[in-house]
Amino acid sequence: MAQCVLSETIVRELSWIKNHLSRCDGVFLLKAIAWAPEDANFTLFTDASMKGLGFWNPNTSSAFHAVLPSPHPRDTIYYFEAFAVLSSLKWACSEHPERIRGRRVAIYTNNSNTVDMFNSLRAHADYNEILISAADLLIDFNIDL
């Protein structure tokens, strides 16, 4: 019999899904219903560079940015683009929970890898923390992204 060695990361991620599955209603973990961008109840725009990241909410004319530390903790723009999407989602959940709970949220980014990551819910291991954090928010607030 072959043995499988589980890393601390794998155990943490398996525990995460176990906890969510044990609390879900058995119908949807995440909804997969197509809708058009104009059907969104809440819209955000994000962008990142190797110098900083930011997001903008056109509904409230609010914008936020952060300067990245130097030297960079990551060497790829993809990480910062994904982190900008997570940051905007986290902000919306904390600042406007009544406007997004159970709603459709559109987050625009100019990075196709980030779009693919959030559409497929599949990421390289280096990005799993971002994806898991976003999935927690989507599930807790019943958001359709």
Side-chain angles (χ1 to χ4, degrees), residues 7 24 42 73 82 109 142-143:
S7 68
C24 77
F42 202 87
T109 179
N142 192 28
I143 295 170

Side-chain angles (χ1 to χ4, degrees), residues 47-122:
D47 201 7
S49 71
M50 295 305 284
K51 293 187 178 195
L53 56 91
F55 60 90
W56 173 55
N57 176 357
N59 301 313
T60 63
S61 297
S62 302
F64 302 90
H65 79 283
V67 176
L68 296 176
S70 185
H72 296 310
R74 302 287 178 156
D75 61 352
T76 174
I77 191 67
Y78 174 30
Y79 182 87
F80 300 119
E81 294 279 1
F83 191 74
V85 170
L86 173 62
S87 298
S88 68
L89 182 61
K90 193 168 186 96
W91 172 82
C93 289
S94 66
E95 296 297 318
H96 301 283
E98 69 289 343
R99 291 183 63 196
I100 66 166
R101 187 175 304 281
R103 304 297 177 121
R104 296 174 175 156
V105 176
I107 301 177
Y108 289 87
T109 179
N110 63 352
N111 185 279
S112 63
N113 289 331
T114 301
V115 172
D116 292 342
M117 181 177 100
F118 283 95
N119 278 340
S120 68
L121 295 178
R122 188 182 76 208

